[in-house]
Amino acid sequence: MLNSRRKKDLILQSITYMASFISLFVLISILLFVFLNGFKLLNMDLITHNFESTSYIADLKDFTGPGVFNTNKDFDDHTYYSTKWGIALSDSENLMGHTIVLVTYVHEDSPFNDLRNKGVATQDLMLDVDYEIVRIAFDDGPSALSIQGAQNMIQVLDTKTTFRELEYSTSGGGIRGSIITTLYLIGLTLLIALPVGVGAALYLNEYAPKNKFTKALRNLIETLTGVPSIIYGLMGLALFVPITISLTKATGANLISGALTLSVILMPVIIRTTEESLKVVPDDYRHASLALGGNKTQTTFKIVLPSAFSGILTATLLAIGRIIGESAALVFAVGTAIKDHVSIYDKSTSLSVHIWAMMTDEPANIELSTTIAIIILVIVLSMNLSIKLISKRLLRKYGVTHE
Amino acid sequence: MRKIFLVLALALSFSLAACTSGSSFDDSKNITVYTRDTTSGTRAGFMEGIGFSAAAGSDDVLVEGFVIKDNTGIMTSMGTDEYGIGYVSLSSLNNTIKGLNFEGVAPTVANVLNDTYGLKRPFMWMVRDTGDYESTEIDQLVKAFVAFLGTTDAADIINNNGAIALQTTVTWDSIKAQHPITARNNSNVTLRFGGSDSIQKVAQALTQAFSAKAGNFVAEHDHTGSGDAYKRTQTIGLSDPVSKHVGFSSRYFKDTEKVGVATSDMGQLAWDAIVAIVHKNNPVTNITAAQLKAIYDGTYTKWSDVVSE
Amino acid sequence: MQSKIHIKQTQKRHNQWLDNAIKYILMGFAILSSSFIFIIAGVIMVKGVTPFITNNGGLGRVNLADFLTGSTWLIGESFNSNLYAVGFLIISTLFIAFLSLLISFPVGVLTALFIAKIAPKKLAETLRTVIEMLASIPSIIYGLFGAGIILKLVYDFSTILGFQSKGGNSILSSVLVLAIMTIPTIASISEVAIRSVDKSIEHGSLALGASKTQTHFKVVLTSAKSGIFTSAILGIGRVLGEATAVSLVAGGRRSGINFNILDTTSTLTTMMLEGMKETTGLDYDIRFSVGIVLMIVILITNFTLNYIKRKVGNVDVK
């Protein structure tokens, strides 16, 4: 008798261990996948730089002809130096992982130090280290393009005595704007979704009579779970964008409408998880509070809600996860215009949508996508830990024990 | 302790299954056909090029059991599936897969420019009707941009980003006097670009270069698909936030999309070569239009049919 | 005396006024939340019903019966034909959802049990954080993981079995990707439910002589039934509505019902997503019709699951 029970226990235990191991194994594989693919492009510059790079068009000013610019500098294998013009170029990769031609050295007497600006601004230009050369155009022959490499560009330059136009740019591809957008979206969405969601859950569990109407409300809320995100995006575009345009100073799709769309997506998760944790608060607590003379409002907000705190916390963390991970809905509701100056009255991209934009490139930039995923994980981890820390302190302060 | 061993053993067997060594190419295997979906400009270009235009818009005529993937998907699939065949844009080609010669011609930029490589699709642009802009500055800037597209400077940018520009000898310097709007400071002007996301990279490079030449206007890019090139420039009014000033498409405009559009409001900016690709272990190096058509319509089902030719 | 009673009565009325006000505000929130489904339905209906009632620019009406029962997505050329059908998609969507839940539900719930009851505190806390982190990865990254790793595994796996898989694109790959995506959701929500089970029930069972495992399975899990079921419902919602990740591994089958898990497939959502950006006219509107079908499928699934939940019974812990 005892043996068969122990056997059953053993089987159940091993299944449990196996299941957890499978979960852990799978989840670690995903983390490994993300880290191994994305590590290469991980860079502080990626986080702090603008996405947009600026191009400059220049040509030579008061040019009498190239000279001889010798230098004692030692250049490595990927750097090519032109003694005729006094610049060194090398093949490199920009923040997005695309190959570029980078300026690594400019001789102090090189004609590239004094260029005329062909654009509208009047200030003179000079070619400096860390700029990327896009192309050099000539009157007598095809241009030297960055796609052809640094060596080719130096070789072509060495055969010419002047050039028509030089186009170079500052580095771009940073995701700072998208990080800021993501943080704004989290803040706005939680501000809208948590009160409404927790409030609705409180109503359904504490105040609502157990009749068909309440059941119907619950079912309607639950049906929201399976709707594909694209549909939410279209709904956001059709409903929230006009509303926000008329109520705020927005003139097009904006982050507030995006936050409203996300709130609708989160509604069932927040309401259901909160409801489940409210359900488990023993009735004794409620009865005791009422017996002590508290009214329904005090009972609900001072006794029941704090007891359900950890469940609501989980709901919040899940919500944050979903906000950060949601891309399809925002692509349709807010658009994919990556911005450096982020305003909540204007459109911009969250990190997820930024990944989407990188993936629709041809060819798709899988490495940068996984790099951004790493950054997402870091953000989520830090939010997660800080929220848990704050809530632990709050719980201690209010003295509600639950573990 | 025992449980942990059991679990580790299972995990090990799983990973053993994953590590199968590479085998030699067995040409009695079936050909797995990969394609884009019917709305893709790449597919239209490919099917026209191999003489199978019926398959550009219809899935019925394709061989049974084809697999539909997007651009990235076809590339990664060809990296795993040794018996697959697909097609991608030339700008996506990398060394994880093998690009086939088409009718004996290698898929290179040079061969597209000298017109010997036959598989290609057009990159097109479309703008709003004259006068249908928020201000005359935007109207003139858009016209200047269109003129820019036909210059060697724009051709350089296009070539630099993997597409193949049309031949031209006009430089921007020679025509910029006709567009005085570019000589003033336009940093408070925003132009909205949209349309095909296959062209996004090229479009962004073009606007970045042109912005430096035209007073540093702000270019906003929101690419959502070739269908939106027409939709968001011609059918959606300026009051709608998704409206665009310039739209790009990676296929020819349909007849329904050309209705009511002046010929000066649309045109082609570049070609994009399409390459047939296979797994690196595949011994095939050259393929003809006839063979591709036979593969895609189901006449050839095994690799032995192709290799034997 | 009278003034004291008067004060008590005003206080009582005041309290009642506050209680009622709060009640109605919260009810407003609940009604607002439940009204969104109608708004969404409205948005989809506007576009989704047109193929069935208008002439679709000369192509003729789409026949509703054929649409719901047919086995080929489109017979004929795009933009030139109105012979769309989603019948086979409904079946494959449900099949895939069922299979993926078959994997993710046990794994998720048992993992939750492990975290909540068996694992030492530090390990449990770490696991919980890891799972919450993974719930926030964009679905496209899961799709990339699927396309990069799972496709290769399934391709090699099927070579071992002797079946020539189409690059790994198959029902099995879609099921695995979806299962991986839903495990965090099911695990976190079930874990909350299991953690909330009253300790006294557990202690009572142990005191009566049951072993720890027996207590876990027969007492704790059954007490947390309601929460665990909720996690399943939310999980299946995610599975039915997932488009991007699945479209990278499914294969895009265009006709025919397929139960061979190593062969390609398609779902309602992947069909909706495909070309949604690049298309116009009937081809665009018909995807909204697919959306309507999907929502009906979700309604029926939720209804069935809720019915089962009621039959299995709620454990009253109060």
Side-chain angles (χ1 to χ4, degrees):
Chain A
M1 257 289 267
L2 230 62
N3 256 340
S4 75
R5 210 234 309 190
R6 205 157 286 170
K7 241 182 265 175
K8 245 197 335 181
D9 275 3
L10 205 66
I11 297 178
L12 285 175
Q13 273 182 328
S14 30
I15 297 181
T16 312
Y17 271 91
M18 211 156 51
S20 319
F21 189 80
I22 293 178
S23 289
L24 200 63
F25 179 68
V26 161
L27 300 180
I28 291 187
S29 327
I30 298 184
L31 283 176
L32 271 176
F33 173 75
V34 167
F35 273 93
L36 289 177
N37 270 330
F39 190 69
K40 196 170 73 131
L41 289 177
L42 199 56
N43 195 327
M44 266 317 280
D45 284 342
L46 186 64
I47 304 177
T48 51
H49 276 199
N50 282 345
F51 180 72
E52 282 169 25
S53 53
T54 337
S55 272
Y56 298 96
I57 311 274
D59 66 6
L60 294 163
K61 209 199 319 182
D62 309 327
F63 191 53
T64 48
V68 177
F69 304 101
N70 289 313
T71 175
N72 296 321
K73 266 184 91 94
D74 240 336
F75 297 113
D76 63 24
D77 286 334
H78 296 289
T79 310
Y80 306 94
Y81 182 71
S82 162
T83 38
K84 198 168 169 189
W85 294 89
I87 56 166
L89 303 175
S90 62
D91 293 312
S92 178
E93 264 184 7
N94 68 359
L95 287 175
M96 303 225 294
H98 296 144
T99 43
I100 51 168
V101 171
L102 199 63
V103 178
T104 41
Y105 171 69
V106 180
H107 192 280
E108 54 197 5
D109 298 321
S110 164
F112 281 101
N113 275 317
D114 202 11
L115 300 166
R116 185 179 49 188
N117 193 332
K118 271 178 100 168
V120 164
T122 48
Q123 97 266 32
D124 284 338
L125 296 176
M126 61 179 274
L127 196 61
D128 207 350
V129 177
D130 279 344
Y131 279 148
E132 304 161 18
I133 297 195
V134 177
R135 61 186 254 270
I136 308 181
F138 305 96
D139 282 315
D140 53 346
S143 316
L145 304 173
S146 66
I147 203 178
Q148 296 160 334
Q151 186 174 25
N152 174 72
M153 205 171 273
I154 291 287
Q155 281 170 349
V156 171
L157 262 183
D158 277 341
T159 64
K160 307 281 187 193
T161 51
T162 181
F163 60 81
R164 177 167 65 87
E165 181 167 289
L166 165 73
E167 186 177 329
Y168 66 93
S169 66
T170 55
S171 66
I175 58 173
R176 194 193 63 217
S178 300
I179 295 183
I180 298 179
T181 309
T182 309
L183 295 175
Y184 275 161
L185 271 179
I186 296 178
L188 281 172
T189 312
L190 285 181
L191 204 67
I192 301 172
L194 273 185
V196 177
V198 173
L202 279 176
Y203 173 74
L204 287 173
N205 207 51
E206 306 288 321
Y207 290 84
K210 299 213 183 318
N211 56 19
K212 288 226 158 97
F213 181 64
T214 315
K215 225 184 275 180
L217 278 182
R218 262 207 203 94
N219 279 333
L220 288 174
I221 295 176
E222 227 158 57
T223 359
L224 283 174
T225 52
V227 178
S229 329
I230 309 167
I231 303 284
Y232 282 113
L234 291 168
M235 178 201 77
L237 190 62
L239 181 69
F240 293 127
V241 172
I243 291 182
T244 46
I245 291 182
S246 53
L247 288 180
T248 65
K249 64 177 186 182
T251 52
N254 54 71
L255 291 187
I256 303 180
S257 66
L260 286 167
T261 313
L262 286 174
S263 313
V264 179
I265 300 182
L266 293 176
M267 215 45 77
V269 175
I270 295 182
I271 294 181
R272 278 319 230 119
T273 318
T274 312
E275 253 202 294
E276 289 303 323
S277 42
L278 285 175
K279 255 191 233 176
V280 202
V281 175
D283 262 347
D284 295 343
Y285 287 22
R286 295 184 183 85
H287 297 159
S289 164
L290 290 171
L292 286 169
N295 56 28
K296 185 107 181 162
T297 312
Q298 285 173 319
T299 312
T300 316
F301 285 91
K302 294 212 167 143
I303 308 290
V304 179
L305 203 53
S307 310
F309 192 66
S310 74
I312 298 179
L313 190 65
T314 308
T316 314
L317 292 170
L318 276 178
I320 293 181
R322 188 77 197 264
I323 297 173
I324 297 187
E326 184 55 56
S327 55
L330 288 175
V331 166
F332 281 88
V334 184
T336 54
I338 304 178
K339 295 273 174 84
D340 290 315
H341 295 119
V342 179
S343 149
I344 58 172
Y345 298 113
D346 203 0
K347 59 170 89 135
S348 53
T349 54
S350 75
L351 284 172
S352 243
V353 178
H354 196 123
I355 294 184
W356 175 292
M358 295 295 105
M359 285 297 295
T360 50
D361 212 355
E362 265 189 34
N365 200 338
I366 297 186
E367 279 129 5
L368 187 63
S369 305
T370 40
T371 312
I372 300 181
I374 296 180
I375 296 176
I376 288 181
L377 284 175
V378 169
I379 294 181
V380 172
L381 186 63
S382 32
M383 292 201 90
N384 209 303
L385 292 177
S386 38
I387 291 183
K388 284 200 175 146
L389 210 74
I390 298 177
S391 63
K392 235 180 250 180
R393 281 220 192 103
L394 277 177
L395 273 178
R396 216 172 289 158
K397 189 169 157 198
Y398 284 108
V400 179
T401 51
H402 212 249
E403 305 290 319
Chain B
M1 253 297 114
R2 220 178 299 161
K3 304 164 207 152
I4 304 190
F5 275 147
L6 191 71
V7 162
L8 277 170
L10 266 156
L12 211 67
S13 53
F14 238 133
S15 38
L16 272 175
C19 304
T20 46
S21 53
S23 46
S24 61
F25 193 79
D26 175 2
D27 62 7
S28 67
K29 293 278 190 187
N30 292 334
I31 304 178
T32 307
V33 169
Y34 289 83
T35 174
R36 304 283 300 279
D37 67 80
T38 50
T39 56
S40 158
T42 320
R43 172 166 169 161
F46 180 72
M47 296 299 175
E48 307 274 331
I50 65 173
F52 195 14
S53 0
S58 166
D59 285 325
D60 294 344
V61 294
L62 284 182
V63 59
E64 267 297 310
F66 58 85
V67 181
I68 295 200
K69 286 268 173 193
D70 66 355
N71 198 59
T72 326
I74 292 195
M75 299 269 293
T76 48
S77 295
M78 230 42 67
T80 2
D81 193 350
E82 296 165 314
Y83 304 104
I85 186 167
Y87 53 87
V88 283
S89 154
L90 178 59
S91 53
S92 310
L93 207 58
N94 62 26
N95 55 8
T96 60
I97 48 164
K98 181 177 181 179
L100 296 177
N101 292 345
F102 183 66
E103 304 275 356
V105 182
T108 62
V109 171
N111 286 341
V112 174
L113 280 176
N114 63 27
D115 228 358
T116 52
Y117 188 80
L119 272 184
K120 52 193 185 203
R121 60 159 169 171
F123 281 165
M124 313 286 292
W125 53 267
M126 183 180 280
V127 299
R128 307 188 75 86
D129 295 328
T130 309
D132 185 17
Y133 295 95
E134 291 94 334
S135 65
T136 46
E137 283 88 17
I138 298 185
D139 197 335
Q140 289 171 350
L141 270 177
V142 170
K143 297 243 171 355
F145 181 70
V146 166
F148 172 69
L149 288 179
T151 65
T152 57
D153 306 290
D156 280 346
I157 306 280
I158 293 174
N159 289 329
N160 207 20
N161 282 282
I164 296 145
L166 306 171
Q167 299 284 46
T168 175
T169 48
V170 180
T171 63
W172 173 249
D173 290 333
S174 62
I175 58 168
K176 67 177 176 184
Q178 300 166 18
H179 300 277
I181 188 78
T182 59
R184 50 158 261 181
N185 186 339
N186 291 316
S187 46
N188 59 346
V189 179
T190 304
L191 293 187
R192 299 194 295 274
F193 299 84
S196 163
D197 42 28
S198 317
I199 311 188
Q200 182 160 1
K201 201 167 55 149
V202 175
Q204 279 174 324
L206 281 169
T207 53
Q208 197 180 317
F210 187 57
S211 173
K213 290 174 150 57
N216 302 308
F217 63 85
V218 176
E220 194 182 86
H221 283 269
D222 182 13
H223 291 253
T224 49
S226 295
D228 283 335
Y230 167 71
K231 259 194 264 177
R232 294 187 177 189
T233 52
Q234 290 291 329
T235 64
I236 293 185
L238 283 171
S239 51
D240 190 330
V242 303
S243 61
K244 300 283 179 269
H245 299 127
V246 183
F248 295 100
S249 161
S250 57
R251 51 171 169 76
Y252 285 117
F253 290 115
K254 299 198 203 342
D255 291 331
T256 46
E257 291 172 330
K258 293 198 242 184
V259 172
V261 182
T263 43
S264 58
D265 287 339
M266 58 181 176
Q268 180 176 358
L269 65 121
W271 288 110
D272 181 32
I274 303 175
V275 187
I277 53 174
V278 293
H279 191 269
K280 287 206 281 199
N281 288 351
N282 197 318
V284 177
T285 49
N286 177 49
I287 200 149
T288 66
Q291 283 175 313
L292 280 171
K293 178 167 188 298
I295 292 175
Y296 274 82
D297 71 10
T299 319
Y300 287 175
T301 49
K302 297 194 193 300
W303 279 107
S304 45
D305 298 332
V306 179
V307 177
S308 61
E309 280 211 1
Chain C
M1 207 55 214
Q2 252 204 331
S3 53
K4 272 213 187 124
I5 296 177
H6 184 70
I7 293 173
K8 273 223 176 82
Q9 278 180 333
T10 8
Q11 257 184 351
K12 186 158 177 245
R13 243 179 285 138
H14 201 259
N15 283 339
Q16 251 186 352
W17 181 86
L18 186 64
D19 280 348
N20 278 336
I22 298 279
K23 174 174 171 183
Y24 285 115
I25 294 178
L26 295 183
M27 180 160 84
F29 283 165
I31 294 186
L32 181 67
S33 311
S34 47
S35 65
F36 279 109
I37 193 69
F38 293 117
I39 301 180
I40 290 177
V43 168
I44 312 183
M45 291 278 191
V46 166
K47 284 251 168 211
V49 174
T50 43
F52 301 109
I53 55 176
T54 67
N55 206 14
N56 298 310
L59 294 174
R61 285 198 211 154
V62 179
N63 185 321
L64 186 61
D66 288 341
F67 183 70
L68 291 176
T69 56
S71 66
T72 307
W73 167 243
L74 177 60
I75 303 175
E77 197 182 335
S78 291
F79 304 112
N80 277 335
S81 159
N82 65 346
L83 298 170
Y84 287 93
V86 293
F88 70 110
L89 289 176
I90 301 179
I91 300 188
S92 37
T93 309
L94 289 171
F95 186 55
I96 292 177
F98 171 69
L99 283 181
S100 75
L101 206 64
L102 203 64
I103 299 180
S104 58
F105 187 67
V107 173
V109 173
L110 290 176
T111 310
L113 180 66
F114 180 79
I115 296 178
K117 295 288 170 198
I118 304 180
K121 230 173 181 215
K122 279 281 156 79
L123 183 61
E125 197 46 52
T126 331
L127 282 177
R128 214 174 285 142
T129 318
V130 169
I131 290 185
E132 276 157 11
M133 267 170 54
L134 281 148
S136 68
I137 295 190
S139 34
I140 203 168
I141 300 284
Y142 283 106
L144 285 180
F145 177 74
I149 311 254
I150 294 190
L151 283 187
K152 186 120 191 49
L153 286 178
V154 171
Y155 183 69
D156 292 335
F157 181 63
S158 43
T159 329
I160 295 181
L161 289 183
F163 179 81
Q164 185 193 355
S165 153
K166 304 204 172 107
N169 300 290
S170 55
I171 293 187
L172 183 59
S173 307
S174 323
V175 166
L176 287 176
V177 170
L178 284 172
I180 293 175
M181 288 179 72
T182 19
I183 289 178
T185 315
I186 295 186
S188 348
I189 301 183
S190 306
E191 202 255 332
V192 170
I194 294 176
R195 233 190 314 154
S196 321
V197 169
D198 204 344
K199 283 264 164 43
S200 51
I201 298 185
E202 221 188 315
H203 294 159
S205 162
L206 289 171
L208 284 171
S211 72
K212 261 195 129 187
T213 316
Q214 273 183 326
T215 313
H216 288 159
F217 280 86
K218 294 207 164 165
V219 175
V220 176
L221 279 186
T222 39
S223 313
K225 246 193 307 208
S226 152
I228 293 179
F229 236 90
T230 307
S231 74
I233 294 178
L234 289 176
I236 220 180
R238 181 99 196 252
V239 164
L240 287 171
E242 185 52 52
T244 17
V246 180
S247 64
L248 290 179
V249 296
R253 167 177 284 270
R254 280 298 194 262
S255 66
I257 302 176
N258 167 44
F259 289 116
N260 178 357
I261 60 169
L262 290 175
D263 205 352
T264 57
T265 182
S266 213
T267 63
L268 287 167
T269 39
T270 59
M271 201 56 91
M272 266 183 74
L273 176 66
E274 242 170 54
M276 191 148 204
K277 307 183 294 172
E278 304 242 350
T279 189
T280 55
L282 173 59
D283 208 52
Y284 185 69
D285 296 341
I286 202 79
R287 291 168 206 276
F288 288 88
S289 321
V290 177
I292 298 182
V293 173
L294 177 65
M295 302 220 22
I296 298 179
V297 167
I298 294 169
L299 260 167
I300 298 182
T301 323
N302 274 346
F303 192 70
T304 323
L305 281 175
N306 273 320
Y307 183 71
I308 298 178
K309 181 176 166 184
R310 229 173 303 137
K311 279 289 164 182
V312 168
N314 256 325
V315 175
D316 213 342
V317 287
K318 304 179 191 183

